[in-house]
Amino acid sequence: MLTNTRTIRIEWGDCDPAGIVFYPRYFAMFEVCISALFERATGLTKYRMVKAYDFVGYPAVQARAQFLAPAKYGDDVIAETSIGEFRRSSFDVHHRVFNGERLAVEGFETRVWVGRHPDDPAKLKSKPIPAEVIAAFTRAPSPA
Amino acid sequence: MLTNTRTIRIEWGDCDPAGIVFYPRYFAMFEVCISALFERATGLTKYRMVKAYDFVGYPAVQARAQFLAPAKYGDDVIAETSIGEFRRSSFDVHHRVFNGERLAVEGFETRVWVGRHPDDPAKLKSKPIPAEVIAAFTRAPSPA
Amino acid sequence: MLTNTRTIRIEWGDCDPAGIVFYPRYFAMFEVCISALFERATGLTKYRMVKAYDFVGYPAVQARAQFLAPAKYGDDVIAETSIGEFRRSSFDVHHRVFNGERLAVEGFETRVWVGRHPDDPAKLKSKPIPAEVIAAFTRAPSPA
Amino acid sequence: MLTNTRTIRIEWGDCDPAGIVFYPRYFAMFEVCISALFERATGLTKYRMVKAYDFVGYPAVQARAQFLAPAKYGDDVIAETSIGEFRRSSFDVHHRVFNGERLAVEGFETRVWVGRHPDDPAKLKSKPIPAEVIAAFTRAPSPA
């Protein structure tokens, strides 16, 4: 299935007093990578997807990562992102972040497609992922 | 073993356009909770621990969480943090975050105690956790 | 006028590889302090204010700060926050952050009270600040 | 003098429940832009500069910004960054961030070049900016 690859510069503000990435920043990076993967597949930014498909987002219900090698500010890491599986209203994402030749971080997330709850707009409720979105991942992608 | 409990206000800046906590912020919260747990046990802030025991930090090598119920800005969540196990130079942490009666987030981390690498101060190397630190967790803690 | 004072622990994740607060974090702290000041005056969290007064937030149109002394993780700083002036739909905020005896940061912001634009809900538009909210700042505040 | 221009995607995690950039994130963006400007001038990442010139960083002593138009996730903003003036151990930076045709944010910072204090390595002390670094800004820059 479609894999999106991007180079991400580790910035000063991503790092902690040990001089290495403060690990919650990797999960923020995962969010960026998922948006980019969907944009690669559908041609739409997350903002446009939210408007086009009338949903609220795809929050995580599970996330895990292994931090195998540190990265520091000034490093350019390569993040590879792909969907493991699409289900009715959730999907799995696989992330691999390389620092040079080394696998620095490997991450897995489960995300849920949600909209506003029909009975209470302050609440969220899972929605089916549009078939069109899933189909976009199996079509030949547009060039990066 | 010692469990530290703290109330944490979810802030506007912790939340995303869906109005709920942007999940990487929970991992930043875990870091705060671990510092607080060690301070409860040892009486030392992380800064003072780093000075007293001549190490650099305890970065995560593994982290995972389940997000079971959303939290929004203005919510006061209760975070319970405890050490699962201390090993020679690593330890496991267990986090449970309650929003009202509901378990909102459950997290597990493995952290490694590190110092500067003796051959290359730009690198990190695991170090044994001081026996005194481990012992502090089994003594009767000072009142919260 | 009402001043709110709170103690804020500087955390590991607030600090950069120089070991001091990464300064954008002070502006995030200002947001926390404004929410707390309004809650002190009105008795409502920001979430409840947004519901009660049907607005979207009070984004900054101007912000500035002087960083006079560094703070590092483990420091407990004292933040004092007060409103400089309320105007029809905007207000000025003054922040002073002390680290021990020293004034570490002084900040000034102008915030605008906004709602959804009546012609385009994707846009924001300034709204008059409710008289009740302004009045709450001149009443005797409830004890901290 | 040398101006560096870069396109920055506004991400979901940069935005708050109002759906627009949480303004402290612009100051984090300023840090990224300054690193990129120095790298453009000197050919060195911030990490390599810190090693090459034996200093600790260039923290802000003053920062201010006007937020003239909102930006939301999915927007690609254009940030222009230039040095206003170099002094012995400090420098001024000017930032302009455009969202489409509109100037969205204008910012000014004063940064100080610092090293470890000779009498107390836990403290920071200003240092002269290396002449070589300043000279790099007046040479013809390498192509972007």
Side-chain angles (χ1 to χ4, degrees):
Chain A
M1 220 200 269
L2 177 60
T3 295
N4 196 48
T5 301
R6 43 192 288 143
T7 301
I8 296 170
R9 164 61 58 93
I10 303 298
E11 300 288 351
W12 174 265
D14 294 325
C15 296
D16 64 21
I20 59 172
V21 175
F22 180 54
Y23 92 77
R25 297 292 305 151
Y26 282 117
F27 290 103
M29 191 188 292
F30 291 172
E31 176 72 37
V32 169
C33 290
I34 295 177
S35 296
L37 176 65
F38 274 101
E39 185 171 353
R40 177 93 183 285
T42 66
L44 299 174
T45 64
K46 187 168 180 179
Y47 184 82
R48 288 183 187 221
M49 280 183 63
V50 160
K51 297 295 164 198
Y53 298 110
D54 187 28
F55 72 117
V56 169
Y58 35 65
V61 288
Q62 286 196 60
R64 64 189 162 93
Q66 280 189 286
F67 308 100
L68 305 163
K72 60 187 187 312
Y73 63 102
D75 289 350
D76 286 315
V77 298
I78 311 285
E80 292 181 0
T81 310
S82 59
I83 301 293
E85 186 189 4
F86 277 113
R87 288 174 297 271
R88 187 175 175 279
S89 58
S90 66
F91 57 97
D92 296 332
V93 193
H94 181 203
H95 304 273
R96 296 200 304 166
V97 181
F98 293 87
N99 195 2
E101 300 294 303
R102 293 188 67 178
L103 180 60
V105 181
E106 182 160 30
F108 298 90
E109 297 177 284
T110 301
R111 300 284 188 124
V112 179
W113 199 272
V114 298
R116 292 284 160 212
H117 198 291
D119 300 337
D120 178 357
K123 292 198 173 134
L124 302 173
K125 189 177 188 305
S126 66
K127 289 183 68 164
I129 304 169
E132 206 173 308
V133 169
I134 297 174
F137 277 80
T138 52
R139 275 203 308 270
S142 52
Chain B
M1 221 201 266
L2 177 60
T3 295
N4 196 49
T5 301
R6 44 192 288 143
T7 302
I8 296 171
R9 164 62 58 93
I10 303 298
E11 299 288 350
W12 174 264
D14 294 325
C15 296
D16 65 20
I20 59 172
V21 175
F22 180 54
Y23 93 77
R25 297 291 306 152
Y26 282 116
F27 290 102
M29 192 188 290
F30 290 173
E31 176 72 36
V32 169
C33 289
I34 295 177
S35 297
L37 176 65
F38 275 100
E39 186 171 353
R40 177 92 183 285
T42 66
L44 299 174
T45 65
K46 187 168 180 178
Y47 184 83
R48 288 182 187 223
M49 280 183 63
V50 160
K51 298 295 164 198
Y53 297 110
D54 187 28
F55 71 118
V56 170
Y58 35 66
V61 288
Q62 288 196 60
R64 64 189 161 93
Q66 281 189 286
F67 308 100
L68 304 162
K72 60 187 188 312
Y73 62 102
D75 289 350
D76 287 316
V77 298
I78 311 286
E80 292 182 1
T81 309
S82 59
I83 302 293
E85 187 190 3
F86 277 113
R87 288 174 298 273
R88 189 177 173 276
S89 58
S90 67
F91 57 96
D92 297 331
V93 192
H94 181 203
H95 304 274
R96 296 200 303 165
V97 181
F98 293 88
N99 195 1
E101 300 294 301
R102 294 188 66 178
L103 180 59
V105 181
E106 182 159 30
F108 298 89
E109 298 178 284
T110 301
R111 300 284 188 124
V112 178
W113 199 272
V114 298
R116 292 285 159 213
H117 198 291
D119 300 337
D120 178 357
K123 293 199 174 133
L124 301 173
K125 190 177 188 306
S126 66
K127 289 184 69 165
I129 304 170
E132 206 172 310
V133 169
I134 297 174
F137 278 80
T138 51
R139 275 202 307 270
S142 52
Chain C
M1 218 200 269
L2 177 60
T3 295
N4 196 49
T5 300
R6 46 193 285 144
T7 301
I8 296 170
R9 164 61 58 93
I10 303 298
E11 299 288 351
W12 174 265
D14 294 324
C15 295
D16 64 22
I20 60 172
V21 175
F22 180 53
Y23 92 78
R25 296 292 306 153
Y26 282 118
F27 289 103
M29 193 188 290
F30 291 172
E31 176 72 36
V32 169
C33 290
I34 295 177
S35 296
L37 176 65
F38 275 100
E39 185 170 353
R40 178 91 184 285
T42 66
L44 299 174
T45 64
K46 188 168 180 178
Y47 184 82
R48 288 183 187 221
M49 281 183 62
V50 159
K51 298 295 165 200
Y53 298 110
D54 186 28
F55 72 117
V56 169
Y58 36 64
V61 289
Q62 287 195 58
R64 64 190 162 92
Q66 281 190 287
F67 308 99
L68 304 162
K72 60 187 188 312
Y73 63 102
D75 289 350
D76 286 315
V77 298
I78 311 285
E80 292 182 1
T81 309
S82 59
I83 301 293
E85 187 189 4
F86 277 114
R87 288 175 299 272
R88 188 177 174 280
S89 58
S90 66
F91 58 96
D92 297 332
V93 193
H94 182 202
H95 304 272
R96 295 200 303 167
V97 180
F98 294 87
N99 195 1
E101 300 293 301
R102 295 188 67 178
L103 179 59
V105 181
E106 182 160 30
F108 298 89
E109 297 177 284
T110 301
R111 299 284 187 124
V112 178
W113 199 272
V114 299
R116 292 284 159 212
H117 197 292
D119 300 337
D120 178 358
K123 292 198 173 136
L124 302 173
K125 190 178 188 305
S126 66
K127 289 184 68 165
I129 303 169
E132 206 173 308
V133 169
I134 297 174
F137 277 80
T138 52
R139 276 202 308 269
S142 53
Chain D
M1 220 201 266
L2 177 60
T3 295
N4 196 49
T5 300
R6 45 192 285 144
T7 301
I8 297 170
R9 164 62 57 92
I10 303 298
E11 300 288 352
W12 173 265
D14 294 324
C15 295
D16 64 21
I20 60 172
V21 175
F22 180 53
Y23 93 78
R25 296 291 306 152
Y26 282 118
F27 290 103
M29 193 188 290
F30 291 173
E31 176 72 36
V32 170
C33 289
I34 294 177
S35 297
L37 176 65
F38 274 100
E39 185 170 354
R40 177 91 184 285
T42 66
L44 299 174
T45 64
K46 187 168 180 178
Y47 184 83
R48 289 184 186 219
M49 281 183 61
V50 159
K51 297 294 164 201
Y53 298 110
D54 186 28
F55 72 116
V56 169
Y58 34 66
V61 289
Q62 287 196 59
R64 64 190 162 92
Q66 281 189 287
F67 308 100
L68 304 163
K72 60 188 187 313
Y73 63 102
D75 289 350
D76 287 315
V77 298
I78 311 285
E80 292 182 1
T81 309
S82 59
I83 302 293
E85 187 189 4
F86 276 114
R87 288 175 298 272
R88 187 177 174 281
S89 59
S90 67
F91 57 97
D92 296 332
V93 192
H94 182 202
H95 303 273
R96 295 200 303 167
V97 181
F98 293 88
N99 195 1
E101 300 293 301
R102 295 188 66 178
L103 179 59
V105 181
E106 182 159 30
F108 298 89
E109 297 177 284
T110 301
R111 299 284 188 124
V112 178
W113 199 272
V114 298
R116 292 284 158 213
H117 198 292
D119 301 338
D120 179 356
K123 292 198 173 134
L124 302 173
K125 190 177 188 303
S126 67
K127 289 185 68 166
I129 303 169
E132 206 172 308
V133 169
I134 297 175
F137 277 80
T138 52
R139 277 203 306 271
S142 52

